[in-house]
Amino acid sequence: MTRADRLVGAILGDDPNARWNAAGNAGASGAEAIARLAEVMGGSDPEKSKAARVAMDRIALASTAPGEEKERLAVSAALVEVAAGQGPVAVRRHAIRLLGLAGGPEACATLAALIEDSNLREDARMALHRIPGSAAERALEQAARRAPPGYASALVRSLKDRKLGRRDAGIRNRDGD
Amino acid sequence: MSDTARIRRRSFLKGAAAALALPAIVPEGVIARNGRPGANDRIVIANIGVGGMGRNHVRPDSAALCDVDENHLAEAARRVTQGTPSLYRDYRRVLERRDIDAVIIATPDHWHALMMVHACQAGKHVFCEKPTARTVLEGRAMVNAARHYRRVVQINAQGRSHPNARLACNFVRNGMLGRVRRVDVWHPPNFRPDSWGEPQRVPSTLDWDLWLGPAPWAPYHPKRCHFHFRWFMDYGGGFLRDRGNHALSIVSWLMDNDGYRGRVTVEASGTEFREGFYDVPATLSVKWEFTDPEWTLTWTQPGTPNPRFPGDWGATYRGGRDELVVLAGDGGCEVEQKAKDYSPPPGGFQAFESPGHFQNWLDCIRTGERPVMDVETGHHVVTLCNLGNIAWRLGRKVVFDFAAERFVDDPAADRFLSEPYRSPWTLSGFQENGRETGR
């Protein structure tokens, strides 16, 4: 049984103490749990759904710790799968949001493509806005060229904000800039 | 040319998020020659956000009231007894008014920065509810806007104007406790949710899109909106950034920490609410460790009141010679009798004796001085609160450099320094540390 198995099992089990203990300490459970947690998050039991969301948050943010680049890339890839998948919009929105915190250049193309989805475009734009580095800027530029006229201005504004106002926060070294 | 005359119409148009056709924005009528109202000039005030705490800020002579909820507006209008206030849903309409000199902002946290920066761009002085900002970069933008447009901005962490807090400040800053190495703040837990937040129909009296403003879109639910917004990280930050902002404001004042530019190490732990849709922690413990001078601040929620001088929430200052308990620190503040009996020696530290938080703001508009809870102090204090929440969300120890206003060797933590805004809102141009760009 893997750590991911144990985590998902505890969240789906009947013991709320075990569920929340597992969710709150899910940081080390690894990227392999992400897809299954997303499935639980999209389920009908609100408490298990919330516990799954909390566990996804813990895994995603733990992967951003200095020295965890390999794990971060794996988590980012798993989140990209959820974001671009066929799950409930709320789950995909949450995965996109986590990509804004844990994603890097590897996530930018998917996020740019999601801007074409009217249900997800604002979340995707905000995630790209948050990801530092030239890959995110190129993705915003490309999305702005493809976006409908009514939405292109939002993308241009993100580009301008990044260039004018924000300091280079984030994983600049990971982007090779 | 007056100060406000230097505020270019173009700047505000550029900074304001939507395409607005604004008139010139200099409130010339009441601005004296040096850019400040004279002693006998009336300062014309408008209120933005008049529900909740904002209700208490409505003046008998408020010239305009603004809220996204018509019910709030109707109730607030009844509090105006001198004249008939204009009523607005969109704060930008208030900022267009040439006759308004100053605004009181009492909206949820996620609006503070945008409204305050736009108000400064429009030439208005600002009295803004605490907490100052939702993020570090918002706070920096607010400071920069206040300085660039030379506006007086008071943050309503009104404990800084409380007589008992001042007495406590004199007691601690004059060394009566010896060297203080630890301050422990206790507070009850965050409110427990009673709903999973299933989407509900937006009331016809509420502009939900404008309520959300720069925050990510979310379906309407009454427990997400008025008052309860503080239990969501997108709009509030739990009690740590709510009453905690008051408590930490008093701590920062008594510990002479307002101007601290060193590093602080922050770690936090907590638990989630198992039921309901609030996303702030149910319980939270935070530790901040400062250097030069070395001292430790803790926040425990729920915490245990000090049995020697118990109260619902407060702080124990632990010095080498003695301890002092200060309770609360918002509109109410209590302190042990020994601080009340103390008189500073000649030449000793004397904390500023505020004539009242609001009056201090009005006085400073007339004199051009910095108010007792100037926006830069508010930015420092709310940053302490925000660092606690960031450390909890990241689940690891972080080190923050106050001089650089960024984390040390943790670029992923730096992503929490700002929150992307929902389109079309933007604070572009005011975020850089120590200087302004983009104009």
Side-chain angles (χ1 to χ4, degrees):
Chain A
M1 184 179 274
T2 66
R3 283 184 300 186
D5 293 332
R6 287 193 291 275
L7 170 63
V8 175
I11 288 174
L12 289 174
D14 294 329
D15 181 350
N17 290 330
R19 175 180 306 125
W20 285 99
N21 185 51
N25 295 291
S29 298
E32 64 174 313
I34 292 286
R36 294 160 70 189
L37 290 170
E39 197 173 324
V40 178
M41 186 184 165
S44 58
D45 184 314
E47 189 185 329
K48 291 174 183 174
S49 170
K50 181 175 182 179
R53 178 185 62 72
V54 167
M56 284 173 69
D57 291 355
R58 292 278 188 272
I59 292 169
L61 291 170
S63 79
T64 67
E68 297 289 334
E69 178 64 1
K70 187 177 174 186
E71 178 62 17
R72 188 198 66 77
L73 283 168
V75 167
S76 178
L79 290 170
V80 162
E81 290 292 318
V82 175
Q86 300 299 312
V89 167
V91 177
R92 296 174 69 192
R93 287 187 71 201
H94 194 68
I96 292 168
R97 191 160 191 182
L98 289 178
L99 283 170
L101 295 168
E106 73 288 340
C108 292
T110 299
L111 290 170
L114 290 172
I115 286 174
E116 295 180 23
D117 184 330
S118 60
N119 287 320
L120 302 173
R121 65 170 47 126
E122 267 292 85
D123 302 282
R125 179 190 62 79
M126 287 194 279
L128 282 171
H129 187 125
R130 198 166 206 159
I131 296 172
S134 57
E137 288 186 3
R138 283 195 301 274
L140 284 165
E141 287 165 359
Q142 289 163 8
R145 282 195 287 273
R146 292 196 304 264
Y151 193 69
S153 59
L155 296 157
V156 171
R157 191 175 299 110
S158 273
L159 279 164
K160 182 182 162 197
D161 284 357
R162 288 169 58 99
K163 288 174 180 171
L164 283 181
R166 296 187 60 182
R167 290 167 291 173
D168 266 336
I171 54 172
R172 180 179 179 139
N173 58 326
R174 291 170 177 158
D175 197 36
D177 287 343
Chain B
M1 184 168 64
S2 73
D3 284 353
T4 46
R6 294 194 188 98
I7 300 171
R8 294 167 297 172
R9 175 173 180 267
R10 185 168 61 89
S11 297
F12 181 58
L13 286 171
K14 194 174 177 182
L20 295 173
L22 291 173
I25 51 173
V26 183
E28 296 167 354
V30 295
I31 299 295
R33 192 174 51 190
N34 64 355
R36 296 192 290 267
N40 296 319
D41 288 327
R42 177 188 170 215
I43 297 172
V44 180
I45 293 173
N47 297 71
I48 300 173
V50 292
M53 191 66 186
R55 189 179 301 124
N56 302 323
H57 292 315
V58 175
R59 318 290 297 171
D61 61 348
S62 287
L65 306 173
C66 176
D67 203 287
V68 297
D69 190 324
E70 291 173 14
N71 292 332
H72 288 172
L73 279 176
E75 184 181 341
R78 288 195 285 274
R79 291 174 172 248
V80 179
T81 54
Q82 299 167 25
T84 304
S86 306
L87 305 182
Y88 300 94
R89 187 178 61 184
D90 188 328
Y91 75 99
R92 292 168 295 187
R93 301 282 90 79
V94 176
L95 301 185
E96 291 173 355
R97 289 265 302 261
R98 297 168 61 116
D99 61 318
I100 289 172
D101 306 304
V103 294
I104 299 170
I105 297 172
T107 60
D109 310 3
H110 64 286
W111 267 114
H112 289 177
L114 269 172
M115 288 176 171
M116 179 265 169
V117 168
H118 289 165
C120 289
Q121 288 175 320
K124 320 300 186 194
H125 302 283
V126 179
F127 186 90
C128 183
E129 260 303 330
K130 70 89 191 78
T132 306
R134 196 164 58 124
T135 67
V136 171
L137 268 75
E138 279 189 347
R140 175 49 53 195
M142 294 167 82
V143 175
N144 288 346
R147 299 296 180 259
H148 180 77
Y149 294 107
R150 301 186 204 182
R151 299 298 91 187
V152 176
V153 180
Q154 173 93 296
I155 302 300
N156 193 31
Q158 70 270 44
R160 296 281 180 127
S161 290
H162 199 289
N164 286 340
R166 180 177 60 81
L167 296 175
C169 192
N170 285 340
F171 193 75
V172 173
R173 296 270 286 265
N174 282 300
M176 296 305 290
L177 302 180
R179 185 174 168 195
V180 178
R181 291 184 176 275
R182 186 177 178 96
V183 181
D184 296 313
V185 182
W186 75 88
H187 195 281
N190 290 324
F191 283 16
R192 182 168 292 282
D194 60 3
S195 167
W196 286 104
E198 293 81 5
Q200 293 194 12
R201 186 183 194 132
V202 180
S204 60
T205 53
L206 175 69
D207 187 332
W208 177 240
D209 187 68
L210 202 51
W211 188 93
L212 285 171
W217 185 86
Y220 171 76
H221 189 282
K223 290 291 177 70
R224 187 188 291 278
C225 190
H226 304 321
F227 179 79
H228 304 281
F229 66 83
R230 66 200 73 217
W231 316 126
F232 295 89
M233 287 294 185
D234 278 342
Y235 329 113
F239 265 136
L240 176 58
R241 206 175 70 193
D242 190 79
R243 276 194 193 147
N245 191 102
H246 288 302
L248 269 54
S249 168
I250 302 300
V251 172
S252 185
W253 194 26
L254 271 57
M255 294 298 292
D256 196 16
N257 188 256
D258 289 346
Y260 183 71
R261 293 295 175 268
R263 293 181 175 186
V264 61
T265 301
V266 190
E267 54 186 322
S269 61
T271 59
E272 303 271 356
F273 284 116
R274 297 180 176 185
E275 297 180 341
F277 70 145
Y278 297 165
D279 66 2
V280 296
T283 63
L284 181 66
S285 297
V286 185
K287 182 168 76 174
W288 298 260
E289 292 177 297
F290 298 87
T291 57
D292 195 23
E294 286 185 7
W295 65 286
T296 299
L297 168 65
T298 68
W299 163 271
T300 311
Q301 184 189 11
T304 305
N306 189 314
R308 201 179 65 245
F309 196 64
D312 192 33
W313 55 287
T316 303
Y317 294 75
R318 305 184 194 279
R321 292 209 305 266
D322 198 0
E323 293 184 357
L324 181 73
V325 178
V326 181
L327 299 179
D330 49 2
C333 182
E334 257 307 335
V335 63
E336 290 180 277
Q337 191 62 38
K338 57 191 172 189
K340 293 181 178 177
D341 294 340
Y342 173 74
S343 295
F349 174 80
Q350 286 272 8
F352 173 70
E353 188 169 358
S354 170
H357 213 57
F358 192 80
Q359 185 60 47
N360 170 245
W361 177 58
L362 296 177
D363 291 349
C364 290
I365 290 173
R366 291 190 163 93
T367 64
E369 293 176 338
R370 298 262 167 90
V372 67
M373 193 58 182
D374 174 65
V375 62
E376 185 145 28
T377 307
H379 167 48
H380 178 78
V381 169
V382 79
T383 296
L384 293 172
C385 305
N386 282 326
L387 292 177
N389 278 334
I390 291 169
W392 175 69
R393 292 176 73 181
L394 280 169
R396 62 176 175 266
K397 187 184 288 188
V398 292
V399 181
F400 184 76
D401 183 334
F402 272 99
E405 293 195 336
R406 62 188 307 167
F407 292 94
V408 177
D409 298 330
D410 195 340
D414 281 338
R415 294 198 196 188
F416 284 93
L417 295 176
S418 67
E419 291 284 341
Y421 281 2
R422 195 165 64 106
S423 179
W425 305 102
T426 179
L427 265 178
S428 179
F430 280 92
Q431 294 98 324
E432 290 240 346
N433 184 11
R435 61 194 173 92
E436 300 147 54
T437 60
R439 291 183 310 282

